[in-house]
Amino acid sequence: MRHILAVVFVLQASHCLADGNNVGNYLAPGRADRIFAKRAPTDFGTFAVDCQGSEGACNNACYYIRCQASQDPDANKIVFIGPNGNNGEADLNRVESGCNFNNPSSGSVCTNFPFSQKFSNPTATDYQCDEWPPALHQQPQPFGTRPYANSLRCMPGGENGSLGSKLGNFVNNRGNYPGRPGGVMNRDDFFRVDFLSNIGTADQSKVNFCLGQGTPNCGSDGMEFGMTAKPVGGGKISSYYNSAGDDNRYALQNTVYSDLYQCGVEFERQGDNDFQNVLLSDWQNNDVQTTLSCTLNADGDTCILQGLPNDLQIRRTGALGSKVEFEYAPGTSGTNVNNFAWDSETSGNGRGPWTDPATDPNRQPLRYCKVVPGSAPNTEDTKCWFPCYKNQDGK
């Protein structure tokens, strides 16, 4: 058989020469793409997306197209990676976008403190990360070679999955799409997305960037963020967040603000009134001991803890065993990006100080704070993690 194939190829080559064909057009054997010319990509036209039920994801896509990559004429173009996630390419795109990570195990930025506290609904427990361009689009690898960082946004899983399903239906020709060529898309085929033609069906309050009613100068609305660094190939977000190490870094997009970090506070409550042995941890995980104690004699009394770039206020709400309220950069809501308020019973979508050990039957990983009985009678030990910036103004 090998001799027969060799003769066939020799005859084909001889035929090319005999007919006076350009030898450069002859494809030598060895690989399929040397025998058959590569198919030309097919233009599948424009997909007019119905954003009803997909508002968060549509808004994120519009932010990328109108703001993040506004100078790119192909910002609304999707070049398909191929079927079946093309052997892990879709998963790699999610990691390189910053939405997902693989160390120490797989996870999402929207299910990890401090990012789910600051760049999301801080008490949501079902939010997912959406990235645009989407994972089904061919993108430069690795992360640092991309001309524009992916736009990331945390949102309810239903809104995230809804747009993904609609894109998948268009790719696989499941539905009625006037003007679209027939058949299923293959790798390198492409289409463009239009989020305006059908925007009237969506909740208008959730698609401001599609309507051109977003923030001045396309700054983030507090929810649009992107990855700024990925020191580890598979991405990494630790608990406690390791800002000085090799964890991914993230920042609000198109703003003056720098990367977001994590700070901490711990103390021992002795009886109803006394808060002793106060210890703060800054954005580099360094311990800070400036204000060592506070006495709060009545419900509603507050104390200022100093040592971080901004003050941290604690407020008594009741006797020992009741929750304690916290506010970082107190009184600056809407004017200081550092401002953040919570209490010792607040839960969110992350891995807080009560995540480990896994053998603890009472652990509550979603809590911002770990509150347990102290070593002495009539005492409680409290430890909380919260989002913060390196500098007082977040810049």
Side-chain angles (χ1 to χ4, degrees):
M1 180 62 70
R2 285 179 294 181
H3 297 299
I4 295 174
L5 290 173
V7 170
V8 170
F9 285 124
V10 169
L11 290 175
Q12 288 176 334
S14 300
H15 177 71
C16 291
L17 293 172
D19 288 348
N21 293 338
N22 187 334
V23 178
N25 292 331
Y26 174 67
L27 299 174
R31 286 192 335 218
D33 63 353
R34 291 177 179 168
I35 302 174
F36 304 103
K38 184 178 180 180
R39 59 176 291 277
T42 299
D43 182 350
F44 276 76
T46 299
F47 175 31
V49 181
D50 181 349
C51 288
Q52 185 175 28
S54 313
E55 284 89 350
C58 288
N59 205 34
N60 187 41
C62 289
Y63 182 83
Y64 180 87
I65 294 167
R66 286 176 169 265
C67 298
Q68 181 69 1
S70 61
Q71 301 304 307
D72 182 358
D74 289 329
N76 70 334
K77 181 179 179 180
I78 295 177
V79 181
F80 187 42
I81 62 173
N84 303 316
N86 206 343
N87 300 316
E89 186 172 351
D91 291 338
L92 179 61
N93 282 339
R94 293 187 181 97
V95 169
E96 295 300 327
S97 74
C99 247
N100 292 358
F101 61 89
N102 292 329
N103 296 294
S105 58
S106 61
S108 164
V109 63
C110 292
T111 60
N112 277 271
F113 301 151
F115 310 107
S116 62
Q117 294 170 308
K118 194 66 173 178
F119 298 155
S120 180
N121 178 335
T123 58
T125 58
D126 63 344
Y127 273 31
Q128 298 177 356
C129 179
D130 174 75
E131 78 281 357
W132 194 273
L136 57 75
H137 170 62
Q138 293 182 33
Q139 300 171 62
Q141 307 293 358
F143 153 76
T145 64
R146 299 183 177 185
Y148 304 97
N150 295 68
S151 291
L152 307 181
R153 193 176 184 95
C154 302
M155 65 191 63
E159 294 186 23
N160 183 27
S162 175
L163 181 56
S165 295
K166 291 169 183 176
L167 293 172
N169 289 338
F170 184 84
V171 164
N172 291 289
N173 200 24
R174 295 190 293 258
N176 180 28
Y177 306 103
R180 180 196 185 280
V184 174
M185 292 178 64
N186 295 295
R187 182 172 178 82
D188 297 330
D189 291 341
F190 61 92
F191 64 99
R192 293 181 182 272
V193 286
D194 167 17
F195 290 102
L196 286 179
S197 294
N198 296 326
I199 200 65
T201 64
D203 182 339
Q204 303 294 283
S205 67
K206 295 182 177 181
V207 289
N208 291 335
F209 288 113
C210 295
L211 297 172
Q213 300 171 355
T215 56
N217 303 317
C218 273
S220 174
D221 60 353
M223 298 295 180
E224 290 292 343
F225 67 104
M227 183 166 65
T228 61
K230 187 173 70 67
V232 174
K236 184 173 178 284
I237 300 178
S238 304
S239 175
Y240 189 89
Y241 180 62
N242 184 15
S243 62
D246 53 7
D247 281 1
N248 292 0
R249 295 191 180 183
Y250 299 88
L252 295 172
Q253 288 187 315
N254 293 328
T255 70
V256 297
Y257 303 118
S258 61
D259 295 343
L260 182 69
Y261 297 106
Q262 188 171 65
C263 291
V265 57
E266 56 184 281
F267 53 80
E268 180 184 55
R269 185 173 187 178
Q270 300 175 357
D272 298 334
N273 305 335
D274 294 326
F275 297 76
Q276 302 290 330
N277 304 318
V278 175
L279 179 66
L280 301 175
S281 57
D282 67 12
W283 68 279
Q284 289 181 303
N285 307 347
N286 295 320
D287 292 340
V288 180
Q289 287 184 299
T290 301
T291 305
L292 301 181
S293 63
C294 280
T295 299
L296 305 177
N297 293 317
D299 296 350
D301 282 357
T302 62
C303 175
I304 295 295
L305 306 181
Q306 296 181 322
L308 299 176
N310 288 272
D311 292 340
L312 175 64
Q313 174 183 279
I314 62 173
R315 179 178 181 272
R316 171 179 160 165
T317 67
L320 181 72
S322 60
K323 68 182 180 181
V324 177
E325 295 178 342
F326 303 85
E327 186 176 7
Y328 185 57
T332 63
S333 177
T335 61
N336 186 339
V337 71
N338 277 280
N339 179 261
F340 188 74
W342 78 100
D343 64 57
S344 56
E345 296 179 359
T346 303
S347 292
N349 200 8
R351 295 178 293 159
W354 209 347
T355 298
D356 297 315
T359 55
D360 183 352
N362 299 314
R363 72 189 187 103
Q364 300 184 54
L366 301 183
R367 285 278 188 97
Y368 289 14
C369 302
K370 178 181 181 179
V371 183
V372 295
S375 57
N378 204 34
T379 62
E380 281 181 346
D381 291 333
T382 298
K383 176 187 289 187
C384 306
W385 297 346
F386 59 96
C388 65
Y389 287 85
K390 176 180 178 180
N391 297 317
Q392 186 178 31
D393 58 4
K395 298 178 183 178

